[in-house]
Amino acid sequence: MRSVYTAALITCVAGLALSGAALSAELMQGRCRMDYCNWFSIESRDLVGSNTKGALFKVISKGWTSHHPNGSYDKRRPRTGGEASTGYYFCSKTKPSAIWQSDTEGWKVAVLNLGSPSGAEENAVIEYFAVCHGVRSGQDTGESFDALTKRFGYVPVENADLRDVARPEDILKD
């Protein structure tokens, strides 16, 4: 009986994130600032594991930048880059997180402030909504981050934090 319950729970938790398959490999705009815009595509997304708080996905994405002199963000410009990178997202209503490899050893986990991200966190939040919900967010949509958090039923994050872990899967132990 326990295995049936566990399987149902995993299916339910993972389901909130699996709806985004339509955005795979689609080019999406990230944050634009100081005459540059960030762009990304999700090349693959694989469920690593889940617990009662959420689902962990391994994500391979590609990133680009475009230069927009004098802040002309409404004009199409050539993109440079396209390098692939691997990261993880923990799709969770209470601890939404981005996980990336540290410059030293190990991994960094950032609990994201989805409702009002600051600075570079905005790119991670845009990618989080694409990975976990299959929706666009950010500058190329009319829906605010705060509206998206309310639509998807997120608990407000009081204290976004940054911590070290040995492996991305360690987030499932919390």
Side-chain angles (χ1 to χ4, degrees):
M1 180 68 172
R2 181 176 166 87
S3 64
V4 171
Y5 172 75
T6 303
L9 180 62
I10 289 171
T11 302
C12 179
V13 170
L16 76 96
L18 291 176
S19 62
L23 293 181
S24 291
E26 182 178 339
L27 186 64
M28 290 174 267
Q29 184 177 347
R31 180 178 186 225
C32 292
R33 183 173 180 270
M34 297 179 67
D35 294 345
Y36 286 88
C37 288
N38 291 301
W39 301 84
F40 70 94
S41 65
I42 298 168
E43 300 298 312
S44 69
R45 179 185 62 183
D46 297 306
L47 178 64
V48 173
S50 63
N51 63 20
T52 58
K53 295 179 183 170
L56 178 64
F57 286 86
K58 178 180 179 181
V59 177
I60 297 175
S61 59
K62 289 185 178 179
W64 295 266
T65 59
S66 57
H67 182 230
H68 301 264
N70 303 315
S72 58
Y73 301 122
D74 57 335
K75 295 183 181 178
R76 286 189 149 219
R77 304 291 297 175
R79 289 177 292 277
T80 58
E83 294 82 21
S85 63
T86 301
Y88 292 78
Y89 283 92
F90 185 57
C91 302
S92 169
K93 300 293 183 180
T94 57
K95 291 201 181 265
S97 303
I99 305 167
W100 66 94
Q101 194 150 27
S102 172
D103 290 337
T104 58
E105 291 184 28
W107 296 79
K108 296 281 187 191
V109 175
V111 175
L112 301 171
N113 179 354
L114 298 179
S116 57
S118 61
E121 181 185 30
E122 189 173 326
N123 282 330
V125 169
I126 291 168
E127 192 165 344
Y128 177 93
F129 279 114
V131 168
C132 297
H133 297 289
V135 298
R136 288 178 170 269
S137 60
Q139 293 188 349
D140 63 342
T141 68
E143 194 166 16
S144 71
F145 292 120
D146 191 49
L148 285 170
T149 61
K150 288 176 182 163
R151 175 163 46 127
F152 291 113
Y154 280 90
V155 174
V157 173
E158 296 298 322
N159 294 316
D161 68 345
L162 179 65
R163 63 186 169 102
D164 295 314
V165 293
R167 330 173 300 135
E169 296 84 355
D170 290 348
I171 198 166
L172 297 171
K173 296 175 186 175
D174 290 344

